[in-house]
Structure formats: C-alpha cells, structure tokens
C-alpha cells in the first residue's frame, strides 16, 4: 500500500515532529519530515546502530530552515518493520523503496558513516533520483575501517555516559564538551521517541560496513561512476573510518568538495553543527559546475 | 614617518578604492582599504608576481561586505618602494612593518601561494598580531612545488590571453570559462591601476618560494608552532603547489579546517568566488575551538 506524503511540516523540529509511517512491499517505514513543503528534499541516511532520534537536532533543524528534510529508519531499524540486511546494496534498495513510497522524484542525500556507504551505492545506481550527495565520516568501497576495535574500546569505558562520547568525539576537553552538548540535544525528545536497536539490527549492519570496506574496488570504480556533485566531510581524528578515506574519496570523485574539521572524531558534524550546516548549505545552494 | 589609517572606506570596491600610501623605515607601501572602518581587518598577502590589481574583485569585495579588507604591495612590489627580498622571512618582516604602520593591533591574514608562506611565517612569529589565518594554494616549509616547470609550460602557451589562465585553471571547459571570467573581473579597473612587476620582483620571489619548499622542516615544526585557527584551501589539480601540501598542512596544524575544491588549479579561490567567500566567512565568524 502506498501513502503519498502531502502534508507540510513547516514549523516542526526533529524533537516535535510526529513520527509518520509509509508502507510498501511489506515494509512499514518510520520517518519524520521537517521544513518547507517545497524544494529538493534532503534525505538523511543514518549511521550504524542509530535511529531517527540519533540525529543532532542542531544540525537537522537548521538544515530544515530552508529545505524539506526527511529522517527515517531503514528496513528493520528503529520502528520500521522488515529485516535489516547484512549488505549495503540491499540497504540502498530499501532506502530507494522508501524514497519512492514518498513519491519523491529527486532528492539530495546526506549519508553519515554506514549511511554514507548507502548514499554512494544509491548515487551510482540512480543518477536521476539523486541530485547531490553529502558523505560524512564514511569510507569508499575497499576503504579503511576500525569498527570492531573502536566499539570494543568504547564499550570498555564504562564510565562514559553514552558510548557515542568516546566513539564520536576526541579526548580533548573541547571535543568532549561538544559531545556532551550533542548528547543533551539528542535526548530532548521524550514522547514518541524512536526505539533503540538491538543485535538484530547492529549485527547485520556491522557485517555490511565491514564487508563494504573488505571488498576491494581497485581504481575506485564505484566513486568514478558517481556523476553528482558531492560534499565529503570528515573529522581529523576519526578513529572508526579515518579521514584518509575522505581524502581518497575526494580524489576519486569527479566533482567533490572536501571539508575536514580539526580536533574531531567520527561525529564531527555534531561537534561543529553551525559550521557543518553552513558548509552543507553552501554546497546545496551552489550551482553545479558545468560538465 | 608614520601615517595612521583612520579613514573609513565603507562603500569602496577594489576597482574604485583610491590607492593609498603609508611610509616607514624607508619603505613606502601602496595599499587599498575596503569595507567598514571597524572589525578585525583581513590583510591579503599576494601570490608570486601579483600586485593589488591581481586580486579577484568578486572575492575581495564580497569579503569586504562585513569586515575591513586591506590589499597591499609588499616591499618592492607594484607601486611600493624598497627591494623585494629573496626569502620568506624577510617578506614577512616587511609585511609586519606595513601592518604596524597602519596601527593595526590584530589582523586576520589571507595568504595565497607565496603569500601563504608569508602568512605562516608571520603567524608563528606574531601570535598576538594574527587572530586567524587563511592559507590558499600554498605549501608548508619543505613542501612540494613545481613553480619553474609550470611557469615554463604556461609561458609556452602563446595563444593564452594571460599566463594566469593556464597557471591558475584546469583544462576543463568549466574551469577555463571561470578563468576567463576572473581575468575580465580583474581588468575592470583602468585608472590608477597598479604597476606590473618585472624581474626585480619575480626573480627574488621565485627564489623565495623555491627555497621555502627546498628547506626541510621535519615534523613540520613551523606548522606545529602555529596556535591560531587556520583555514587551508586548495584546488584539486593545483599543478604548482599540489593539494597534497594542503592535506599535509591540515594534519600538522593543531586547529585547521581543510577545504578542497573540484576540477580546479592554483586559482581555485578565483574559480569559485562565491563558495570560497562563504567558506572564509564561516571560518572567520566561527568561535575558535576552546583549547
């Protein structure tokens, strides 16, 4: 069953917008839609283990000031039904199914970490669906990842208020302080909060990310197939998917901007929300370079 | 003799502002001042062989919309008197003398190419004078340069309307078209135009840039001494001072943002003036990260 998304959510924020659902091909997707009713929607592709409420309100709400922004749970994640696949290609297929269910003919994609892998896959396969893409804290196929080691280290820090503090931020006082502020922002919503993910989600997601990086792509065939303008973003000290990935992606993509931030880890976009939003806006609003 | 610069030039552009002069220690410096009378001034440090009129009005005028911007000829260059030194350290000394003559207690620096080397030198030696620095198309001490080879190649293209077309832009249609638009903008000023530089300027400047890159700085001691926030910018296909320099600088600086642009050469800042100005503004207006 297909439900078209026709309601404007002009004033909503990620903390206040109702969670909505759209169903098709046996999957019921949970999502929230913010921002104006018109304009190219920016669809957010979430990181390993994250749900809709793991996005930073400071980022999402600011981006929604001048464009529709859609956060959703991919198949199996959060309150979406279906099964979380164990590979990026299938996740990309699910995400495209969701976008089609909303009746969106053209979107921008912002993919963070695992979501950035999915964004790359979608961009190569759907040239007309994807206008521009933003790849944050992610890796190319065959890229460098330290997921399990970093997770093990983070979960051994039993005094951390949230594993995302050591996972997403550096050990500096400034980064930690930004991390605590992010966690506070992300916990504001109490009612209708998204469901945390268990092993049925994180196990296949971890496998998908690890296999993505373990699959060599000599000469970056996938990145070279991406024709859309791209913005590649990373933190200087991302321990999970190091910034070298971002530099390699920038060099292989035909039309990419690269932005790297200082003293920051995997969650650089949440450490510098105002700066990141400004960079995203500048990128999305600029005319693509003539071919 | 010292002349304080007290006049507001709120409405002036780089094409219309009068060229002014300030003299001290035997050097008479030519400069133009744009933008509001108050705020931290942004002092521009020009590239090899360039004078005040080699800046892109689309960049300089937009930056001057919300801050004082000062373009000047360093010692010996354009209409400044004195002798062009053959090393970066002496050029930095001259530039600091100029800034002191204007009575400016604190400035931001935007150094392009050779000007970026001078900016690094000033930032290490004058922690309090320099608030933030922007390093565009430049190299660290001991970095990679191909100045003479690229100059030879550019000057062999006798059909080019200006050597800056092959020197600053790539061979793509989009980059060449941006290059022609830049050259047109930079030629608008007819009256009171700055003087072109001859060998008495370019020979020592070339020597200074080549020696800067030929002087090893193991472990990037100079960059590690820079405490100020920095924005490092490069074009993806800079043939003179390759983008690898920018990535290396980003990694060695303690507090730097890196921005790289697609399909662009040494003159990336003039190829994407609106995007570059937006990135500079975002950088200059953001709060420095807490130490």
């Amino acid at each position: 069953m297909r439900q078209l998304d026709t309601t404007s959510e002009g004033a909503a924020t990620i903390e206040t917008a109702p969670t909505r659902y759209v169903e098709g091909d046996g999957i019921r997707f949970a999502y929230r839609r913010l921002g104006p009713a018109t304009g190219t929607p920016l669809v957010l592709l979430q990181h390993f283990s994250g749900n809709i409420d793991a996005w930073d309100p400071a980022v999402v709400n600011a981006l929604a000031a001048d464009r529709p922004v859609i956060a959703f749970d991919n198949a199996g994640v959060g309150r979406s039904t279906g099964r979380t696949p164990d590979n990026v290609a299938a996740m990309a297929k699910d995400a495209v199914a969701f976008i089609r269910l909303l009746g969106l003919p053209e979107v921008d994609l912002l993919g963070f970490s695992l979501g950035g892998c999915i964004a790359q896959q979608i961009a190569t396969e759907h040239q007309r669906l994807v206008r521009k893409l933003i790849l944050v804290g992610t890796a190319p196929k065959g890229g460098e990842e330290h997921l399990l080691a970093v997770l093990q280290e983070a979960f051994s820090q039993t005094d951390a208020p949230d594993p995302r503090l050591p996972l997403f931020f550096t050990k500096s006082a400034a980064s930690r302080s930004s991390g605590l502020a992010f966690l506070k922002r992300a916990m504001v919503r109490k009612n209708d909060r998204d469901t945390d993910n268990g092993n049925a989600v994180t196990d296949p997601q971890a496998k998908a990310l690890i296999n993505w990086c373990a699959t060599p792509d000599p000469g970056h065939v996938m990145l070279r197939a991406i024709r859309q303008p791209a913005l590649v973003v990373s933190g200087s000290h991302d321990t999970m998917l190091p910034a070298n990935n971002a530099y390699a992606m920038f060099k292989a993509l035909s039309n990419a901007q690269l932005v790297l931030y200082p003293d920051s880890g995997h969650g650089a976009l949440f450490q510098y929300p105002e700066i990141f939003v400004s960079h995203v806006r500048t990128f999305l609003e600029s005319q693509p370079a003539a071919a």
Side-chain angles (χ1 to χ4, degrees), chain A:
Chain A
M1 185 187 298
R2 175 173 169 146
Q3 287 174 248
L4 280 179
D5 182 67
T6 52
T7 315
S8 162
E9 293 285 348
T13 64
I14 192 81
E15 304 98 310
T16 59
T19 306
R20 307 166 77 186
Y21 298 89
V22 63
E23 186 168 345
D25 289 331
I27 302 172
R28 183 171 173 259
F29 291 95
Y31 71 101
R32 290 188 209 136
R33 181 171 179 153
L34 317 174
T38 58
T40 305
L42 178 64
V43 175
L44 311 180
L45 297 161
Q46 186 58 292
H47 64 80
F48 164 80
S49 85
N51 61 22
I52 292 173
D53 283 311
W55 289 108
D56 185 350
V59 168
V60 177
N61 297 339
L63 288 173
D66 44 15
R67 73 197 68 248
V69 174
I70 296 167
F72 79 109
D73 286 325
N74 210 345
V77 176
R79 285 186 286 182
S80 288
T81 64
R83 188 173 166 153
T84 301
D86 67 358
N87 63 88
V88 169
M91 290 171 176
K93 206 176 156 200
D94 290 336
V96 169
F98 166 72
I99 293 167
R100 301 277 192 217
L101 282 169
L102 291 189
L104 305 173
E106 190 181 55
V107 298
D108 295 327
L109 296 177
L110 189 167
F112 173 29
S113 193
L114 175 62
C117 309
I118 299 169
Q120 292 170 65
Q121 184 86 38
I122 298 174
T124 55
E125 293 176 353
H126 300 276
Q127 301 275 351
R128 279 188 295 188
L129 181 64
V130 181
R131 190 185 71 113
K132 295 187 175 185
L133 73 162
I134 301 155
L135 304 170
V136 187
T138 191
K141 204 176 245 195
E144 180 182 353
E145 61 83 14
H146 305 280
L147 179 66
L148 295 184
V150 169
L151 284 177
Q152 194 168 26
E153 161 74 12
F155 282 96
S156 73
Q157 295 185 33
T158 46
D159 57 334
D162 188 301
R164 287 174 292 180
L165 197 59
L167 283 173
F168 283 7
F169 300 89
T170 75
K171 293 186 165 81
S172 79
S175 186
R176 275 187 66 89
S177 162
S178 301
L180 290 169
F182 155 67
L183 291 172
K184 201 169 167 186
R185 292 193 296 272
M187 293 305 290
V188 165
R189 185 180 182 116
K190 303 292 178 202
N191 294 328
D192 181 36
R193 212 179 149 77
D194 205 356
T195 310
D196 286 340
N197 295 302
N199 288 351
V201 172
T202 55
D203 285 354
Q205 282 186 334
K207 189 175 169 192
L209 183 56
I210 290 166
N211 280 349
W212 172 267
C213 288
T215 306
D217 183 13
H220 290 299
V221 172
M222 170 165 276
L223 291 173
R224 292 191 193 281
I226 294 178
R227 311 312 306 171
Q228 296 94 333
L231 172 65
V232 181
V233 176
S234 173
S236 59
H237 295 81
D238 188 326
T239 51
M240 208 174 323
L241 299 170
N244 281 344
N245 285 316
Y247 190 47
M249 295 173 74
F250 165 77
K251 288 195 281 188
L253 286 161
S254 63
N255 186 2
Q257 280 177 34
L258 177 68
V259 174
L260 303 184
Y261 296 118
D263 180 29
S264 49
H266 196 54
L269 74 173
F270 306 149
Q271 179 166 341
Y272 303 105
E274 295 87 0
I275 297 174
F276 174 71
V277 166
S278 171
H279 288 153
V280 170
R281 274 212 189 113
T282 297
F283 167 69
L284 291 178
E285 288 164 13
S286 65
Q287 292 304 312

